Amino acid sequence: MMLDLNATTFTEQTSSDSENEEYGVIETKFGKMIIRFFPNEAPVHVENFKKLAREGFYDETTFHRVIPGFMIQGGDPLSKDEDRTNDGTGGPGYTINAEFNSKRHSRGILSMARSQDVNSAGSQFFIMVKDNSALDGQYTVFGEVIENIEAVDSIVSQSRDSGDNPLE
């Protein structure tokens, strides 16, 4: 499957070590990030993310929100256009219910973005740049970057506008 985030590629991989471990590769101009999914902790979120990626939903989307010391956010189909004012408001046309779990929002964690409604996740996700326990039990953790967190660091360090949209 393919996922394009700022000219990135997403590939699903399975581990021969364990049937329960699922991996993804997000390739950016800053390098490949290897993601391990948590299907036992958030099965609906993992399947939703993989389904959208398989359908090409994420193709040409960007990491539209970057906040140093916090996270990078992507997965909004509206980030494909030139209008930055609508970035962060799009989704797949449906929502999924929260699957809160015991995973902590530590550096490298992949979690679903949502609105004020805890059951409003759809396609947008974020990757933690730094630990933030205040998010624990508030957002659904469904994976983690296990290789090349430096790509996340490069993305979050990009120049940005007043709305935290990267300029590049």
Side-chain angles (χ1 to χ4, degrees):
M1 82 177 103
M2 302 298 288
L3 166 67
D4 193 351
L5 299 168
N6 274 344
T8 56
T9 307
F10 177 84
T11 308
E12 186 177 4
Q13 299 178 343
T14 55
S15 170
S16 58
D17 299 336
S18 170
E19 290 182 24
N20 292 332
E21 292 200 352
E22 299 177 334
Y23 298 89
V25 179
I26 300 176
E27 185 174 335
T28 74
K29 68 180 184 176
F30 301 104
K32 290 181 182 180
M33 289 180 274
I34 308 298
I35 307 292
R36 176 179 35 222
F37 294 113
F38 301 139
N40 293 332
E41 287 82 359
V44 175
H45 283 72
V46 169
E47 286 306 312
N48 179 63
F49 186 83
K50 292 181 346 183
K51 171 187 144 325
L52 292 171
R54 282 186 199 109
E55 293 172 353
F57 180 88
Y58 292 116
D59 293 354
E60 305 297 324
T61 63
T62 66
F63 284 103
H64 62 274
R65 185 173 176 222
V66 299
I67 303 176
F70 183 36
M71 59 87 206
I72 62 173
Q73 184 171 334
D76 181 356
L78 299 178
S79 69
K80 297 177 187 184
D81 64 25
E82 298 296 319
D83 181 5
R84 291 177 185 227
T85 64
N86 67 5
D87 290 0
T89 62
Y94 61 84
T95 59
I96 55 177
N97 290 337
E99 294 177 294
F100 299 138
N101 53 60
S102 62
K103 296 288 186 182
R104 315 287 291 167
H105 279 83
S106 56
R107 178 170 162 75
I109 282 296
L110 180 66
S111 192
M112 284 302 278
R114 61 169 177 78
S115 69
Q116 296 292 340
D117 179 355
V118 297
N119 295 318
S120 62
S123 61
Q124 294 189 46
F125 61 93
F126 57 95
I127 301 173
M128 299 301 299
V129 173
K130 187 176 178 184
D131 296 0
N132 189 331
S133 62
L135 301 180
D136 295 348
Q138 304 297 314
Y139 294 84
T140 299
V141 172
F142 69 101
E144 69 179 326
V145 176
I146 60 168
E147 192 174 309
N148 197 15
I149 192 71
E150 296 81 10
V152 175
D153 295 335
S154 294
I155 293 167
V156 80
S157 68
Q158 298 303 301
S159 298
R160 56 196 168 95
D161 63 19
S162 61
D164 294 317
N165 297 302
L167 297 177
E168 183 180 335

